[in-house]
Amino acid sequence: VVTWNVGTAMPPNDVTSLLHLNTGETNDVDVIAIGLQEVNSKINKRLKDALFTDQWSELFMDVLSPFHFVLVSTVRMQGVILLVFAKYYHLPFLQDIQTDCTRTGLGGYWGNKGGVSVRLSIFGHMVCFLNCHLPAHLEKAEQRKEDFATILHMQQFEGHAASGILDHDLVFWFGDLNFRIESLDIRFVKYAIDSNILSQLWEKDQLNIAKSTWPVLSGFQEGPLNFPPTFKFDVGTNKYDSSAKKRKPAWTDRILWKIKSPSVGLGTGGHRPSRGVLSVSQLCYCSHMEYTVSDHKPVAAIFAVQVST
């Protein structure tokens, strides 16, 4: 899973390291989900993109094709794009593919903020990928919660297997979730980053706080934030915001997952349906500092999903 707020940037020439294509890890990867936010969505650009694939999607398709990946599904809502790729030989086992999108900008009328999803059955297990761009700014944490709850409520899929996002056996939730670091001033945040004592920032991270206080986030898991905050950088550099606004660094770009509780959706006699049980382990959770075209750094995660039948 990859998430990146690309802003108004043009695609870089090389995304092999972002997709971990030069590490040998991709030999074992079966599915790749890429969530982008703020892809150039000016009116004239959107008209062109309606007729032709946008440059970012074209780039990822071109790069992944030699590695035997094909585009399974894509969905776009203004600047929010989700692409799901899979190895071509898995295609017969990918079924019930559906997409949805929910606008939350301007009270639900504008798609600069919101969520887009691709859901599908992978070897009989219902999996949903949800890419979100939530409201910005430190004081909007409550609005982020409300928008996420709205997205979960509004997105509905056809069929009885999993009509809502949280009905799926496995949900990957990612994007520019825009959560900030509370209380601490910018000098201490930068000191903690420079001194590599990131753990002192974790307890003030709004999403970490919310995970234990918001019922809507119950069951969502995330790996440790062992990489520096991914926002906000001066474009073209690895230096945090030096403009007059001097925005405080934050882990705005996140990847979480949730496994459906075994107690939900039990079959006859109280037994879970014969699809089997999923277990998920995160093998990698990292940012990619080498990309400087945006004021955000992209974030990637690699998961091993095991099925016991």
Side-chain angles (χ1 to χ4, degrees), residues 115-133:
V116 297
S117 63
V118 171
R119 86 80 174 270
L120 69 166
S121 168
I122 301 177
F123 290 92
H125 294 266
M126 302 306 297
V127 179
C128 184
F129 298 97
L130 175 62
N131 173 29
C132 291
H133 192 188

Side-chain angles (χ1 to χ4, degrees), residues 186 190 232-235 237-249 295:
I186 187 171
K190 286 187 172 181
K232 174 181 178 17
F233 289 86
D234 293 337
V235 174
T237 76
N238 285 326
K239 296 178 180 176
Y240 286 104
D241 187 16
S242 63
S243 71
K245 292 184 178 179
K246 284 197 164 47
R247 293 175 185 84
K248 187 163 59 173
D295 58 354

Side-chain angles (χ1 to χ4, degrees), residues 31-57:
V31 178
I32 295 178
I34 300 168
L36 304 173
Q37 306 87 38
E38 288 195 15
V39 175
N40 191 339
S41 54
K42 294 177 182 175
I43 294 296
N44 62 340
K45 186 73 171 65
R46 279 166 50 213
L47 291 173
K48 177 179 179 292
D49 289 349
L51 300 173
F52 308 100
T53 311
D54 67 277
Q55 290 173 296
W56 284 90
S57 297

Side-chain angles (χ1 to χ4, degrees), residues 215-289:
V216 73
L217 294 182
S218 175
F220 277 97
Q221 302 178 65
E222 183 181 23
L225 297 165
N226 288 328
F227 50 90
T230 53
F231 173 85
K232 174 181 178 17
F233 289 86
D234 293 337
V235 174
T237 76
N238 285 326
K239 296 178 180 176
Y240 286 104
D241 187 16
S242 63
S243 71
K245 292 184 178 179
K246 284 197 164 47
R247 293 175 185 84
K248 187 163 59 173
W251 285 289
T252 54
D253 313 281
R254 312 287 279 270
I255 300 170
L256 296 89
W257 73 96
K258 180 175 183 176
I259 302 172
K260 184 174 167 183
S261 169
S263 62
V264 178
L266 293 176
T268 55
H271 297 294
R272 190 162 168 77
S274 60
R275 288 200 303 265
V277 179
L278 289 173
S279 65
V280 178
S281 55
Q282 191 175 61
L283 307 179
C284 165
Y285 192 26
C286 61
S287 65
H288 284 267
M289 295 290 284

